[in-house]
Amino acid sequence: LFAGMTPGDDSLLGSTSWYRNVLSVTGACVAVDRDLFRAAGGFDERFHLCGSDVVLGLDIRFQGKRNVCTPHAHVRHLESATRSTHVPQRDYFASWWRYQRWLRPGDPYFSPNLASSTPRPELRAVQDAGSLPAIASVLGRQVAVFRQNNDAAEARQLAGLCRADAGLRGRVEAAHRRSGAPSKVRTVNWFVPDIDSPYYGGISTALRIADQLKREHDVENRFVAVTTPNEPFIRSALEAAFPALADSPVVFTDGSLADTLDRVPAADAAVATLWLTAYSVAHLQQVRRRFYLMQDFEPMFYPAGTSYALAEESYRLGLYGICNTDRLLDLYEKQYGGQGFAFSPAVDQTGFHANGRQSAAGDGPVRVFLYARPGHWRNCWELASLALDELKRKHGDRVHIVTAGSWARPEDLGSGIQHLGLLDYRETGELYRTCDVGVALTVSAHPSYLPLELMACGVPVVAFDNPAGDWILHHEENALRAPRTVDGLFDALDRMVTDDELRSKLRAQGLADIAAGHADWPGALSGIYDYLCDPEGQRLEGRTK
């Protein structure tokens, strides 16, 4: 900003000689207190040359400080004079994960009415698409908000990819019998879909398991991405969340039988992490054992039809299940004749904890949080939005409704909701600690991590009365469970908002339940390596978790 202008020039943002708040700055001339530098974690060494200076400013802002640009230090910067203008490709990808928080909503210190492509402030043209198209070009992928389609064309494409004859399960089970003796696992091929974010949801847990296998058992992880080839992007996603995985081999497949799997290296174990990848794992030849990391009842990602049927058939391929909760293991065993291992999920307490939480005090508004996921049907945004509208009409300024998430567009949200958009992973816990009620809705057979993370931050939860939540959500004890109707959800929210004692009771029990059984990720995942090494032995000994 202001590059090439004369000191003292006027502009649409005022004089270039004004000092001003900024989101961050480059490292041409920066002064920061030593203790604050250390508290922010110093420079991010995942950047090779460019970007760590900007990220330092973002991290300092996360510490609650401001970045101020002053015109009163007169320094001449001969930019790139000693190194040329080349920027390593890896730094562009590393920047995506650290800047992403601000790329969609925009810089809070820069007017959205100004062009983002010129150093001299100019009015933004109507046809100016902003920075996202340029970013997409650099990343080699689209960066638009994902929307579920589930149309006929998509279903036909999936049907062509997910091929399984009547003998496939028998071949998988025969291969497992040949490899039935216990054996140490040294190599694991992880079959992963495209990675939208490595910090959240099922892909985060898969990467967390891989990271723990590497650190504790010296396992070599390889990642087989069932998506359009883009190695720098996939590798940067691995490094952003789990730096120890950054140098793991990465190969690509489109998931079809026509696209040979011969390029996939031989391994002791292969793990499917999404239903679509289970078909590839079942067909894989150069592997001793085949596993399926099950973290939700994935057929319910779709309405009844072709895609639902294909997802459900993935449970009938004979893969060893690694199931997120006993409920999913029960379903896999009893409904689909599978065998597997169950673990109970935990929360990352470096980010999700109740230390320093804030609550509504006195006559202040009660803050209600909802994960905004329009465009993904199992979270029932349409139902939730009507219940929240009714809650706001009744309580007005006595209730403050806030949402977050990258899925929502402005047209999805009502006028009575503050939408924060995509948040930095660390900001998520900070947000929860300012909320008094958390709404966690799903109709599939797994309640997601959201209730756990809310409870760990001291937020009492309102959820659907879904049996999938029985293992963690106990009505009137640590949560309120509501019927899956607008009226049922509104009644539960209304009760939670108006009853301070109820919120206090549920909050205390939620914190106790997290501390007792869901505060230790390494412990939660500790049995997985033994299961990979001897799944048949654990089957004979009975279920282990």
Side-chain angles (χ1 to χ4, degrees), residues 419-437:
H419 183 59
L420 301 178
L422 178 69
L423 298 182
D424 184 283
Y425 179 72
R426 297 165 299 175
E427 287 181 291
T428 308
E430 292 283 353
L431 169 62
Y432 295 168
R433 284 186 286 277
T434 69
C435 294
D436 303 288
V437 181

Side-chain angles (χ1 to χ4, degrees), residues 388-389 392 396 399-403 413-419:
L388 290 173
D389 286 345
K392 188 67 176 177
V399 65
H400 177 205
I401 301 170
V402 60
T403 69
L413 304 170
S415 59
I417 293 177
Q418 179 188 8
H419 183 59

Side-chain angles (χ1 to χ4, degrees), residues 292-510:
Y292 191 167
L293 179 60
M294 300 176 179
Q295 302 195 70
D296 207 325
F297 185 63
E298 293 179 338
M300 292 191 72
F301 290 10
Y302 310 94
T306 295
S307 299
Y308 183 104
L310 292 169
E312 187 174 28
E313 285 301 312
S314 71
Y315 298 150
R316 297 190 172 100
L317 297 176
L319 308 180
Y320 293 123
I322 303 173
C323 301
N324 192 335
T325 70
D326 280 326
R327 178 176 177 81
L328 284 178
L329 178 56
D330 282 339
L331 185 151
Y332 188 49
E333 290 179 335
K334 295 175 181 177
Q335 190 165 331
Y336 300 101
Q339 64 183 76
F341 166 90
F343 66 92
S344 293
V347 292
D348 178 2
Q349 294 223 300
T350 62
F352 301 103
H353 56 78
N355 300 330
R357 69 160 282 112
Q358 304 172 31
S359 299
D363 296 327
V366 175
R367 203 173 199 205
V368 178
F369 171 79
L370 173 71
Y371 173 33
R373 210 178 189 190
H376 207 304
W377 297 327
R378 75 182 189 277
N379 294 100
C380 300
W381 168 259
E382 301 84 0
L383 187 157
S385 63
L386 292 175
L388 290 173
D389 286 345
E390 192 166 333
L391 188 73
K392 188 67 176 177
R393 281 196 299 272
K394 177 175 180 180
H395 294 285
D397 291 341
R398 290 178 295 167
V399 65
H400 177 205
I401 301 170
V402 60
T403 69
S406 64
W407 296 67
R409 301 171 299 187
E411 58 266 32
D412 295 320
L413 304 170
S415 59
I417 293 177
Q418 179 188 8
H419 183 59
L420 301 178
L422 178 69
L423 298 182
D424 184 283
Y425 179 72
R426 297 165 299 175
E427 287 181 291
T428 308
E430 292 283 353
L431 169 62
Y432 295 168
R433 284 186 286 277
T434 69
C435 294
D436 303 288
V437 181
V439 188
L441 307 179
T442 180
V443 293
S444 62
H446 192 273
S448 84
Y449 293 119
L450 180 58
L452 294 175
E453 292 168 351
L454 288 168
M455 292 161 69
C457 294
V459 185
V461 172
V462 174
F464 283 147
D465 192 13
N466 181 350
D470 289 350
W471 61 278
I472 184 61
L473 298 174
H474 308 298
H475 185 56
E476 301 278 1
E477 296 178 15
N478 65 7
L480 289 185
R481 290 170 55 161
R484 290 171 289 184
T485 65
V486 172
D487 302 295
L489 182 57
F490 166 78
D491 288 343
L493 288 170
D494 183 51
R495 184 180 169 198
M496 192 77 90
V497 164
T498 56
D499 193 334
D500 294 350
E501 290 185 6
L502 175 64
R503 293 200 308 274
S504 179
K505 168 191 162 184
L506 300 182
R507 177 183 301 116
Q509 189 59 52

Side-chain angles (χ1 to χ4, degrees), residues 26-28 49-50 53 76-88:
T26 66
L49 183 62
C50 299
D53 49 358
R76 183 178 295 275
H77 180 207
L78 304 179
E79 186 172 11
S80 309
T82 59
R83 67 164 183 86
S84 83
T85 58
H86 172 70
V87 176

